[in-house]
Amino acid sequence: MKKPVLKENIDKFQLELSGLTPLQILQWVEKHIGRPVFASSLGQEDQVILHLIAVHQLNIPVITLDTGRLFPETYNLIAETESRFGVKVRVLFPDAQEVETMVAEEGINLFLKGVDQRKRCCQVRKIHPLRRVLRQSDGWICGLRQEQSLTRADLKVIEWDAVNGIPKINPLHNWSLEQVTGYLKENKVPYNPLHDQGFISIGCACCTRAVQPGEDVRAGRWWWERPEQKECGLHLVNGKFVRSKDLEQSHE
């Protein structure tokens, strides 16, 4: 029987996993974590990880979040990915009553009113559905990379998710965007066509725009907010939002 990865073991596993390839990291997860789950946002990084899981037939379930406000291209990618690789992507939805209450109280586009309203929208549409699954999981895999934003500069290959009480594994933590796109091209992996139109990080259609030349890779997400605020709440440090200047002192 596989033993759960505990918070006190994270530093040891960090050393063990450092230097391994993304495939080797995923194989380690399959071997050591009893109920792992891969939470895909269907971005370029996530398509790399999903391809590795599918091609190497790893026993790691794949989930994604349908917030109800995704791009049509994202839905098409789910269908194409399942068809091409024979992988079933479990789609999670927010609670209908919770969405209705939020919209009744704050309006359909509440995310434009302020950071607190935007975070509430993310909580209802993304965080709460994900946590329902993570409560039944022993570890989750993400497609995060260090260079994606200021808030992810200190990202490790394995970290402790204090909110959900399980480890979070980032197989592509030290990859560049060029490595990601190169992998997709070399292996003919389907990806969201919006990436070719300047969309680097793709979320809800109402909160995502194309990135202009010279802008940060996550400049297209919640572009009306300051860079240090651009997290939805799925990925926190010590269970809370942090500013970029705090990252050096923070260890999840």
Side-chain angles (χ1 to χ4, degrees), residues 101-141:
T101 298
M102 176 183 68
V103 172
E105 293 176 353
E106 297 279 8
I108 195 70
N109 288 335
L110 70 156
F111 46 85
L112 295 174
K113 294 181 177 180
V115 175
D116 289 340
Q117 289 90 338
R118 196 269 295 166
K119 288 179 179 178
R120 180 184 180 185
C121 191
C122 288
Q123 286 178 337
V124 168
R125 295 181 183 274
K126 299 172 68 174
I127 298 173
H128 294 174
L130 178 63
R131 285 182 181 165
R132 291 200 302 264
V133 172
L134 295 186
R135 289 192 196 104
Q136 304 170 16
S137 304
D138 296 319
W140 63 305
I141 301 164

Side-chain angles (χ1 to χ4, degrees), residues 41-45 47 77 177 181 184 190-202:
S41 66
L42 299 164
Q44 295 175 104
E45 295 84 2
Q47 288 299 97
L77 182 61
L177 180 59
T181 56
L184 296 176
Y191 62 89
N192 196 318
L194 291 175
H195 289 304
D196 294 331
Q197 301 175 34
F199 290 78
I200 298 179
S201 176
I202 301 173

Side-chain angles (χ1 to χ4, degrees), residues 61-112:
V62 181
I63 64 172
T64 195
L65 301 169
D66 181 356
T67 64
R69 303 199 66 159
L70 301 180
F71 287 96
E73 290 87 348
T74 302
Y75 294 110
N76 292 338
L77 182 61
I78 295 174
E80 182 181 3
T81 299
E82 289 184 324
S83 176
R84 284 273 298 276
F85 300 120
V87 173
K88 181 61 180 176
V89 178
R90 179 185 174 189
V91 181
L92 308 180
F93 298 91
D95 178 81
Q97 184 59 58
E98 197 173 7
V99 173
E100 290 177 6
T101 298
M102 176 183 68
V103 172
E105 293 176 353
E106 297 279 8
I108 195 70
N109 288 335
L110 70 156
F111 46 85
L112 295 174

Side-chain angles (χ1 to χ4, degrees), residues 21-37:
T21 66
L23 174 58
Q24 290 171 329
I25 294 168
L26 291 171
Q27 291 171 330
W28 181 92
V29 170
E30 184 185 40
K31 180 179 180 180
H32 291 88
I33 296 182
R35 297 178 299 173
V37 64

